[in-house]
Amino acid sequence: MFTKAEEKKSVAEMVNSSNVIAKETTIKGDIITSGNIRIEGTVEGTLNSKTKIVIGESALLEGNIETKEAEIAGRIIGTVKCNEILFLKKTAVIDGDIYTKKLIIENGAVFNGLCKMNEMEAGDPVSGGLKNGVVKEEKVGTRKGKEVVAG
């Protein structure tokens, strides 16, 4: 049927393929892909890619992202976990926690949540807390705040 070389080429093409969710498209459910994916529409669910995820300026994602690399220009309500590089464009809005190894933020990008940067092991659960610091709670009037003390 296929030789080993043809089979490897077919797998490489599949991994390097790109998927696009168009601007006026809404998907409810989880998306798992081995290739790149670009979202311009709305997704309600988890988005998982082994390569790269691009969230366009018109996109809305209500759910979590887990990927190797991501470029965000739209809105995300959920946790973003990148094993390599996360790039936030100036129009990006993230309401949720960020876990990444490297973070690039353009002036104007907004995120509301915890940001944790370190090397993540494969299979590490996404969890709060700090690797090299301590979280200390303090009372401010009737409101409670958290102060990060690096050590």
Side-chain angles (χ1 to χ4, degrees):
M1 202 151 156
F2 286 111
T3 66
K4 292 277 186 190
E6 289 173 334
E7 192 173 316
K8 285 182 183 179
K9 183 179 178 185
S10 176
V11 169
E13 286 173 0
M14 183 178 69
V15 169
N16 293 326
S17 69
S18 291
N19 301 288
V20 178
I21 307 301
K23 192 173 186 176
E24 296 184 14
T25 303
T26 298
I27 294 182
K28 294 182 181 185
D30 298 340
I31 299 174
I32 300 168
T33 182
S34 295
N36 299 333
I37 186 163
R38 180 178 187 88
I39 307 294
E40 291 293 342
T42 301
V43 175
E44 295 175 21
T46 300
L47 191 52
N48 189 316
S49 171
K50 291 183 180 178
T51 54
K52 184 175 182 178
I53 294 174
V54 177
I55 305 295
E57 211 172 306
S58 62
L60 169 63
L61 174 71
E62 293 184 51
N64 300 330
I65 288 181
E66 189 166 337
T67 187
K68 181 178 179 184
E69 184 179 333
E71 183 178 307
I72 313 295
R75 178 147 190 227
I76 297 176
I77 302 169
T79 301
V80 177
K81 182 178 178 184
C82 292
N83 293 328
E84 292 294 326
I85 299 173
L86 174 60
F87 184 64
L88 302 182
K89 298 281 209 167
K90 65 182 177 182
T91 56
V93 177
I94 298 177
D95 290 313
D97 296 339
I98 294 173
Y99 300 87
T100 187
K101 187 175 176 183
K102 295 178 186 172
L103 179 62
I104 301 168
I105 305 174
E106 282 187 357
N107 190 20
V110 175
F111 76 86
N112 302 302
L114 170 77
C115 180
K116 182 176 178 184
M117 295 176 60
N118 67 0
E119 290 190 34
M120 290 178 272
E121 301 287 326
D124 271 359
V126 175
S127 62
L130 297 169
K131 186 174 185 181
N132 296 321
V134 189
V135 175
K136 180 176 84 175
E137 291 193 18
E138 86 181 9
K139 272 193 173 182
V140 181
T142 58
R143 297 170 61 191
K144 258 188 166 178
K146 290 190 178 183
E147 174 187 0
V148 177
V149 181

